[in-house]
Amino acid sequence: MPTELPAPQVQALISYLEQEAQPAIVLDTDYNILARNTAYQRQFGIAGRSIVGEKCFHVSHHYSMPCDQAGEHCPMKAAFDKRGADRILHIHHTPRGPEHVDVELRPILDGQRDVVAYVERLATVRSAHAHASNDGLVGRSPAFMDALSALQRAAPSMLPVLLLGESGTGKELFARALHEASDRAKGPFVVVDCSGLTETLFESELFGYEKGAFTGANTRKPGLVETARGGTLFLDEIGDVPLAMQVKLLRLIENGTFRRVGSVETLHADFRLVAATHKPLEKMMAAGSFRQDLYYRVSAFPIHLPALRERRDDIPLLVESFLQRLARNGRRLTVAPEAMARLQAHDWPGNIRELRNVLERASLFADDGRIGLAQLPPAGRNPAPTMGAQGEAGAAAGRLADEDLARFAAGFAGTRQQMAAALGMSERTLYRRLRQLNMG
């Protein structure tokens, strides 16, 4: 039989929780809600409904059984087994619809270390949506939830975060979500696009320069490091940083100091570092094109961002989100079931960026407001596109090695715009990679 918490102690817990700004509830060992604080009622409560006496899994998930029996991680079971706190990211039903909620459950132990009750604290994740949305991150698949959970863990710290994933997986959106979930959310979020920058240009962009530092430097210009003061500096495609500049970047990260180009004055930086790349940095270290010491500084907390083919269940949510953004003059777009099935079957080598481009194109042909198979381009219409040798290279665009891309580009007879579309990548990404291969 489960040990119950005496009523006076329950009241003492309720009084304690009322002092907290964070929503919280008290549970007994049989999943019954014993009490909730005012903050919980304000954020998750429904007028006229007490929830006291109801099962937590029914209130939060509308389940008829505990989470672990419904195929999910149950923090209560985990907290009981280890006699300590457990934390999990769940999707809860709220008055606003399904939402991502960061749940922390702590057991209350008696003198014999038996669990007598639990305190559950809940925090809504504001930077992601479990339903279609016009902005921010959208998803609810297991792979997406793993990445979002890691992001929530990393956000409160100052550890450098490295976002790893194929081109088009939404690295900048994840970086912005990390910033917004951190203590630096009120500070600036500054993006440094490391791709395509020469050593000289990278240094002047990052550190700024003094008047007269070089031809054309007519005034002093603060760099992006200064602009990011008090906020987050996002180094997108850090794998493209010139080797000679990696030394100065390492010094900036280690010492927090830098100098403007043409200056002898040492300045102090104040930023949270987030970096991202689609390149295999570990292989680049072995080849000598990426510094080992820099790698270990920027990869303190790596987060894998899943490719779209790893989160197919999110495609309907993403489609609805993009269609909301594409709606013009009150014209609402829908997708036929057979078209949605085809979209979910495709491998999406260009990931979310490719999906967005396909939907934007299809919307222009959906005269009746409905996207069917006829409105989808060949690459989006066929689950496994068959377009000859060029198409086979395009189907792996997100994972193309440089030599594969060079072969594909050499045999492609169309325009650069058509080539980018065939590969499922943006023209900017294609131009950058071709220029790195001296084919630009």
Side-chain angles (χ1 to χ4, degrees), residues 223-242:
L224 296 176
V225 169
E226 288 182 78
T227 306
R229 184 176 297 278
T232 300
L233 185 70
F234 174 47
L235 300 179
D236 195 11
E237 294 302 346
I238 193 172
D240 291 335
V241 174

Side-chain angles (χ1 to χ4, degrees), residues 228-291:
R229 184 176 297 278
T232 300
L233 185 70
F234 174 47
L235 300 179
D236 195 11
E237 294 302 346
I238 193 172
D240 291 335
V241 174
L243 191 59
M245 274 304 301
Q246 292 178 23
V247 180
K248 295 182 179 181
L249 183 57
L250 177 64
R251 187 180 302 120
L252 168 69
I253 297 169
E254 287 189 331
N255 302 331
T257 60
F258 66 99
R259 293 174 181 172
R260 298 191 190 100
V261 177
S263 174
V264 296
E265 181 186 5
T266 299
L267 302 175
H268 293 273
D270 176 20
F271 60 83
R272 172 35 172 328
L273 177 67
V274 180
T277 186
H278 74 282
K279 290 190 170 183
L281 295 187
E282 292 183 349
K283 291 182 179 179
M284 292 175 65
M285 279 195 299
S289 58
F290 198 85
R291 292 181 62 97

Side-chain angles (χ1 to χ4, degrees), residues 14-56:
I14 295 171
S15 299
Y16 170 74
L17 293 179
E18 281 298 342
Q19 309 304 313
E20 285 206 359
Q22 187 174 348
I25 58 176
V26 181
L27 303 166
D28 68 14
T29 53
D30 196 31
Y31 306 96
N32 297 305
I33 299 174
L34 302 178
R36 84 291 183 269
N37 66 1
T38 301
Y40 179 94
Q41 184 62 25
R42 187 185 306 119
Q43 187 162 339
F44 298 106
I46 298 174
R49 183 180 177 184
S50 168
I51 77 164
V52 172
E54 295 190 49
K55 302 289 187 183
C56 59

